[in-house]
Amino acid sequence: MGQVAAIPHVKWHALVASEYAIVIINIMYPKNFDKVKEECELQIELMKNVQ
């Protein structure tokens, strides 16, 4: 039962962490939408692997 409850929680952490990563890229490379898009795509691929 603990695993069932933990899975959505872990996915939520992955989503929030990916948002932070995108914000940091946007701060590091202001108005560089190619870098932001690249990071978004990377984060999406990483989240697909979260079980």
Side-chain angles (χ1 to χ4, degrees), residues 2-21:
Q3 288 291 71
V4 171
I7 290 171
H9 183 77
V10 171
K11 288 183 179 185
W12 182 83
H13 278 289
L15 180 60
V16 171
S18 70
E19 289 179 12
Y20 284 132

Side-chain angles (χ1 to χ4, degrees), residues 20-32 36:
Y20 284 132
I22 293 164
V23 168
I24 290 169
I25 293 298
N26 204 22
I27 291 170
M28 290 173 58
Y29 305 99
K31 298 185 180 179
N32 186 337
V36 172

